[in-house]
Amino acid sequence: MSAQLTRYLPILDWGRTYNRKAFGNDMIAAVIVTIMLIPQSLAYALLAGLPPEAGLYASIAPIILYAVFGTSRALAVGPVAVVSLMTAAALSNIAELGTMGYAVAALSLAGLSGVILLAMGLLRLGFVANFLSHPVIAGFITASGIIIAASQLKHILGIEASGHNLLDLVVSMVSHLGQIHWMTAIIGISATAFLFWVRKGLKPLLRKMGVGAGLADVITKAGPVAAVVATTVAVWGLNLSDAGVKIVGDVPQSLPPLTMPSFSPDLLRQLLLPAFLISIIGFVESISVAQTLAAKKRQRIDPDQELIGLGAANVGAAFTGGFPVTGGFSRSVVNFDAGAETPAAGAYTAIGLAIAAVALTPLIFFLPKATLAATIIVAVLSLVDFSILKRSWVYSKADFSAVLATILLTLGVGVEAGVSAGVALSVLLHLYKSSRPHIAEVGLVPGTEHFRNVLRHKVETDPKVLTLRMDESLYFANARFLEDYVHARVAKDKNIRHVILQCSAINEIDLSALESLEAINTRLAEMDVKLHMSEVKGPVMDRLKMSHFLEELTGEVFLSQFEAARHVKDSPATV
């Protein structure tokens, strides 16, 4: 019972060994991440179409809940760019921006996403993430990054623009270019340029000045805070809000409120698909970061428990005024690099954000929205990686086609279409590849007992024996392919009297494949050819023994391919 409880409450595992050293390291990491998260949380709420305080609220309870249920020691949970964009895309079709209905729909979307993630975790469906190919996900994130950056240009320039795909955004912005608010543009462009310089140039400059590596890193991470402070002071001091510079305005000075999502069947039906897509994309992004960071310290991540941790975090967001959340790449890396040892660092970060929500919100009244937009643009452009197109083109044309289609659909239609295409293309790509498995005709390497591809090695073959090695499990999608291949190969060579199916790479044979094997056996028997099998794995043999196939097999089953070849070499040709 204790082990089962620890599985669902990982805090009971790392909490038992928590000590003063871990506390000190976690606190340092929490301070750094909190400084980074304050402007990020406000910015991502803006991206999701919600008031800025929603970003703070979505970064408090979810982090604490993940600390209790999650298995990653370094993952920092909260609003992220891609999920915020998907949230905006989903809600814009349901409610009007800025209305109470929009905010309630955001709560419901987070709650529904949380329930989906929890259900997947309890059913141990963490393997579902494997159906999304990483090149396709990289393509989707790249296209989303471009759309996000383009969507924030309206705040940088102080103009009106709308659209959920790149084409609509560009057309809308071009039509409003004559309305550029130059003071807003100066603030936005300056903040963007400063943040890009901070990311690339500040740390090397500080190191040249003799600042220690750790302190230089902290100062660099605090760059967005400096931009926030500088532009806020400028707007306040010069009274630029009266001149038309859009500001954040009043932000409630309070802890996250208790909120209630809507349980309207009609609303939940409309949100079901977006919630599922957000859950899958959020989980894939989160588990990728968590596993990468865990590997550096030889720690273990449980994908099924991660689903539960992220599910609890999203349910928490739904009842505390937030919106969908997941593990963020940049803040998790910062958390890891800052020395976080346990998920308690996330809980301390939540406390820091709670203090900010209570004490610091009056200070951001004059914060220009252009600065938040600059924060988003700089953050998301690091996600854009067109090199995936070159790598996939060189390595696999099929992968390239899937990546390109995902990017084009995301840019041209929208994020929901893009991610739906990504999921579908990942599955179809897998089915396509496995439905046309590699089948090699093999022969004996002289002087050994090893069999290799006749097209790649100098091998010995027997004209009356055909040995085929199928490098894929046999199932419904590829069974007919093997059936057709064997028939075509035997039909064109009248000398063949034995066919040996080398099963060293076959891990499973489903019922459809079994029927194809029976058909192959029957057809070969009609052609006076025996069918043999070699190197059949134990679990596969156990399944075959449950059928009548082995009794009807015209040949035999051999432990090794060498034994099979030696046995049939001088055997009679009759069936």
Side-chain angles (χ1 to χ4, degrees):
M1 180 66 181
S2 177
Q4 188 75 357
L5 192 61
T6 302
R7 178 191 179 277
Y8 288 109
L9 291 172
I11 190 174
L12 298 178
D13 180 27
W14 58 264
R16 281 196 293 264
T17 59
Y18 200 69
N19 53 37
R20 183 176 295 179
K21 179 176 178 292
F23 171 76
N25 291 335
D26 286 344
M27 280 298 295
I28 292 171
V31 170
I32 295 172
V33 174
T34 300
I35 292 172
M36 175 186 178
L37 268 184
I38 291 173
Q40 260 197 12
S41 299
L42 300 171
Y44 290 147
L46 179 71
L47 177 58
L50 293 162
E53 64 269 17
L56 290 174
Y57 298 159
S59 301
I60 297 176
I63 298 179
I64 295 174
L65 287 167
Y66 179 82
V68 174
F69 294 101
T71 60
S72 172
R73 302 293 180 97
L75 191 70
V77 172
V80 300
V82 173
V83 170
S84 298
L85 177 65
M86 294 177 70
T87 297
L91 301 185
S92 63
N93 299 321
I94 294 172
E96 187 177 345
L97 189 69
T99 64
M100 181 61 71
Y102 191 96
V104 171
L107 299 176
S108 303
L109 184 62
L112 191 55
S113 178
V115 169
I116 291 171
L117 288 164
L118 283 170
M120 291 175 66
L122 293 172
L123 295 173
R124 303 199 174 191
L125 298 179
F127 66 88
V128 168
N130 299 332
F131 286 100
L132 286 174
S133 76
H134 283 278
V136 166
I137 290 299
F140 169 72
I141 290 177
T142 290
S144 297
I146 294 172
I147 291 178
I148 291 169
S151 71
Q152 296 309 297
L153 288 177
K154 63 182 180 182
H155 297 295
I156 296 289
L157 301 176
I159 62 176
E160 294 295 327
S162 60
H164 295 298
N165 60 65
L166 187 61
L167 181 62
D168 289 346
L169 283 168
V170 170
V171 170
S172 181
M173 277 189 287
V174 169
S175 66
H176 290 87
L177 281 180
Q179 303 170 8
I180 290 178
H181 190 271
W182 290 106
M183 187 56 66
T184 299
I186 290 171
I187 293 172
I189 294 170
S190 299
T192 304
F194 172 75
L195 290 174
F196 271 119
W197 174 77
V198 164
R199 176 164 291 203
K200 298 292 185 182
L202 181 57
K203 187 173 182 179
L205 177 62
L206 292 172
R207 295 292 287 141
K208 286 180 181 179
M209 294 170 60
V211 178
L215 181 58
D217 197 50
V218 172
I219 295 174
T220 301
K221 297 296 188 298
V225 176
V228 166
V229 172
T231 55
T232 301
V233 170
V235 171
W236 169 71
L238 299 174
N239 206 23
L240 296 179
S241 59
D242 290 343
V245 174
K246 292 185 178 179
I247 58 175
V248 168
D250 281 314
V251 176
Q253 193 173 355
S254 68
L255 292 172
L258 288 176
T259 52
M260 183 64 67
S262 171
F263 295 98
S264 163
D266 185 55
L267 176 62
L268 295 179
R269 178 184 56 77
Q270 294 180 73
L271 292 176
L272 185 59
L273 179 59
F276 176 75
L277 296 176
I278 286 173
S279 300
I280 293 296
I281 291 298
F283 175 60
V284 169
E285 181 178 351
S286 179
I287 197 70
S288 299
V289 176
Q291 289 177 336
T292 299
L293 297 179
K296 294 182 179 181
K297 289 191 175 182
R298 297 192 176 186
Q299 295 168 347
R300 178 179 173 272
I301 298 296
D302 181 350
D304 296 321
Q305 186 60 30
E306 282 299 289
L307 284 165
I308 293 175
L310 291 174
N314 276 281
V315 170
F319 288 94
T320 56
F323 55 99
V325 298
T326 192
F329 176 77
S330 58
R331 69 176 67 116
S332 296
V333 171
V334 170
N335 197 35
F336 179 87
D337 290 343
E341 289 195 21
T342 73
Y348 303 149
T349 299
I351 293 172
L353 291 171
I355 293 172
V358 171
L360 301 181
T361 49
L363 301 179
I364 62 173
F365 180 90
F366 288 102
L367 172 61
K369 290 186 176 181
T371 302
L372 294 181
T375 302
I376 294 173
I377 289 173
V378 174
V380 300
L381 286 183
S382 65
L383 303 175
V384 176
D385 178 20
F386 282 112
S387 67
I388 188 64
L389 287 171
K390 181 180 178 181
R391 295 200 307 273
S392 59
W393 173 262
V394 171
Y395 192 78
S396 168
K397 299 301 186 290
D399 280 327
F400 170 80
S401 300
V403 172
L404 182 62
T406 302
I407 290 176
L408 293 178
L409 279 170
T410 303
L411 292 177
V413 182
V415 289
E416 284 192 14
V419 72
S420 299
V423 173
L425 287 170
S426 294
V427 174
L428 290 174
L429 197 58
H430 168 73
L431 291 174
Y432 173 77
K433 288 178 178 178
S434 61
S435 68
R436 302 178 63 82
H438 178 256
I439 299 177
E441 184 174 338
V442 299
L444 179 65
V445 178
T448 73
E449 295 184 4
H450 300 292
F451 285 75
R452 294 292 183 268
N453 193 328
V454 298
L455 300 178
R456 295 178 178 270
H457 300 271
K458 293 182 178 180
V459 294
E460 298 174 352
T461 58
D462 186 335
K464 70 174 185 290
V465 180
L466 172 65
T467 299
L468 299 176
R469 187 193 71 226
M470 181 167 171
D471 298 329
E472 182 76 53
S473 289
L474 271 170
Y475 75 118
F476 66 91
N478 62 20
R480 186 58 185 267
F481 183 83
L482 174 65
E483 191 177 335
D484 294 340
Y485 186 97
V486 172
H487 176 70
R489 180 66 180 83
V490 174
K492 73 177 184 179
D493 192 339
K494 307 301 181 183
N495 294 319
I496 295 175
R497 289 294 174 262
H498 299 274
V499 173
I500 305 174
L501 184 60
Q502 185 180 350
C503 303
S504 55
I506 296 177
N507 297 316
E508 185 178 3
I509 297 177
D510 72 0
L511 187 58
S512 296
L514 176 64
E515 292 175 353
S516 285
L517 287 177
E518 291 171 343
I520 291 171
N521 185 56
T522 301
R523 187 174 294 177
L524 290 179
E526 294 170 351
M527 301 166 70
D528 291 334
V529 177
K530 287 186 177 182
L531 174 64
H532 308 271
M533 301 177 74
S534 72
E535 302 184 13
V536 182
K537 295 183 177 180
V540 177
M541 181 61 79
D542 292 340
R543 283 287 186 90
L544 293 178
K545 286 178 179 178
M546 297 170 65
S547 70
H548 297 290
F549 174 71
L550 296 178
E551 298 172 11
E552 299 168 356
L553 185 65
T554 55
E556 299 180 41
V557 179
F558 298 93
L559 185 63
S560 71
Q561 178 57 34
F562 183 75
E563 180 186 347
R566 186 175 58 184
H567 179 83
V568 303
K569 185 176 182 180
D570 300 317
S571 63
T574 56
V575 175

